[in-house]
Amino acid sequence: MRRPFIAANWKMNKTVSGTREFISSFIPEVKDVTDVDIVIAPPFTSLVVAAEELKNSNVIIAAQDVFYEEKGAYTGEVSPLMLADIGCRYAIIGHSERRQYFDETDEIVNRKIKAAKRGGVGAILCIGESLEEREAGKTFDVLEREIDKGLFETDTGDIVIAYEPIWAIGTGKTATPEQAQEAHAYIRERIGVKYGNKGDEVRIIYGGSVTPENIDSLMVCKDVDGALVGGASLKAESFVRIVKFNRF
Ligand code: PGA
């Protein structure tokens, strides 16, 4: 049985006080949810506060990115060592916004994943095709490339894979459960080809306009093990509903 993994990606949103406010209304509502990994990825400036506030809770802290060196002259970067030090268990790596706006290549993604794992931080590896690629029938090729290169010379230990079709991110245009299931099944099969029975164990979560309204239908898909939620994770009430999928 794969344990559901529901993660909030706040992107460049929320100050420290906004983070505290969210946490104080969120925690009482989810404290009894014991069968889901609940994850929050605030911006770097809120990480320490979030880690402190969530210390004795059932909520896991993640970063939205990480650099691939441990320390040194890399102005502006944050290392896996620093994340592990404050109790950060995961880093989102290879989000399409980082690939698009910050020129992150599969090679950089791969270095970040290896460094995170070495430093004791798990990786939420984001992959997914653009609309153009989908329409050209290249979805599976893109997924295969991003998996193979992203995990080059490493394995699926401490990895959660987020399938995020770029055309669904922030657009309100969610993949249908059928489209999500098809892509997730393909990803699982590819992991199986490369890593044997790990294909059955690795958690594959869906991201792209997940909302309280569509989470239930996505979570019934056999190969959808959770969600990476942007816009709908910014309000505690809405993220609570998503964390408590299929309970209403
Ligand atoms: P969205 O973002 O839920 O706002 O579409 C998801 C993501 O980019 O992780």
Side-chain angles (χ1 to χ4, degrees):
M1 254 310 258
R2 295 181 298 266
R3 188 175 156 87
F5 187 101
I6 306 275
N9 174 12
W10 284 354
K11 309 192 180 182
M12 199 171 72
N13 292 290
K14 291 198 193 293
T15 57
V16 166
S17 66
T19 299
R20 283 192 208 278
E21 230 168 80
F22 180 99
I23 290 172
S24 65
S25 44
F26 182 66
I27 286 297
E29 298 295 327
V30 299
K31 66 178 191 323
D32 297 328
V33 178
T34 53
D35 52 357
V36 175
D37 278 352
I38 307 169
V39 184
I40 296 181
F44 281 122
T45 45
S46 287
L47 266 182
V48 172
V49 162
E52 277 165 8
E53 303 256 336
L54 295 168
K55 199 171 256 164
N56 295 312
S57 77
N58 55 338
V59 177
I60 296 166
I61 282 292
Q64 296 176 17
D65 187 24
V66 67
F67 193 53
Y68 48 70
E69 296 291 348
E70 196 174 290
K71 62 181 171 153
Y74 302 101
T75 302
E77 294 297 330
V78 173
S79 79
L81 184 82
M82 294 166 181
L83 294 181
D85 180 50
I86 60 160
C88 195
R89 295 251 307 273
Y90 288 92
I92 297 173
I93 298 180
H95 191 282
S96 63
E97 286 152 14
R98 298 223 47 98
R99 294 180 192 255
Q100 186 184 344
Y101 304 130
F102 305 97
D103 295 330
E104 279 195 10
T105 60
D106 288 319
E107 288 68 31
I108 294 174
V109 168
N110 178 247
R111 288 180 78 176
K112 289 185 170 186
I113 286 178
K114 287 180 181 155
K117 293 204 314 178
R118 262 197 318 275
V121 177
I124 302 171
L125 165 61
C126 300
I127 59 176
E129 80 288 359
S130 65
L131 186 59
E132 222 173 38
E133 289 162 337
R134 172 163 283 263
E135 286 174 347
K138 291 191 183 143
T139 298
F140 291 168
D141 295 342
V142 172
L143 298 179
E144 182 179 316
R145 190 199 75 228
E146 289 181 334
I147 293 168
D148 290 4
K149 293 199 167 180
L151 297 181
F152 180 64
E153 288 182 344
T154 183
D155 57 31
T156 56
D158 279 337
I159 298 272
V160 172
I161 295 184
Y163 169 60
E164 297 207 303
I166 296 167
W167 47 270
I169 296 177
T171 58
K173 203 167 168 253
T174 325
T176 63
E178 293 72 28
Q179 286 171 323
Q181 171 56 31
E182 185 189 36
H184 284 226
Y186 177 80
I187 293 165
R188 199 174 299 292
E189 188 190 308
R190 186 71 201 152
I191 299 286
V193 168
K194 287 176 66 85
Y195 304 104
N197 58 7
K198 295 289 180 235
D200 291 329
E201 288 169 24
V202 70
R203 288 180 290 185
I204 306 171
I205 64 177
Y206 169 80
S209 298
V210 172
T211 64
E213 288 73 39
N214 60 31
I215 184 68
D216 293 349
S217 61
L218 288 161
M219 289 305 291
V220 295
C221 299
K222 183 167 144 284
D223 290 299
V224 175
D225 304 316
L228 183 55
V229 189
S233 73
L234 293 173
K235 288 213 166 70
E237 192 193 349
S238 146
F239 193 50
V240 165
R241 174 63 186 82
I242 292 171
V243 164
K244 293 184 168 173
F245 62 92
N246 286 333
R247 281 168 218 251
F248 292 88

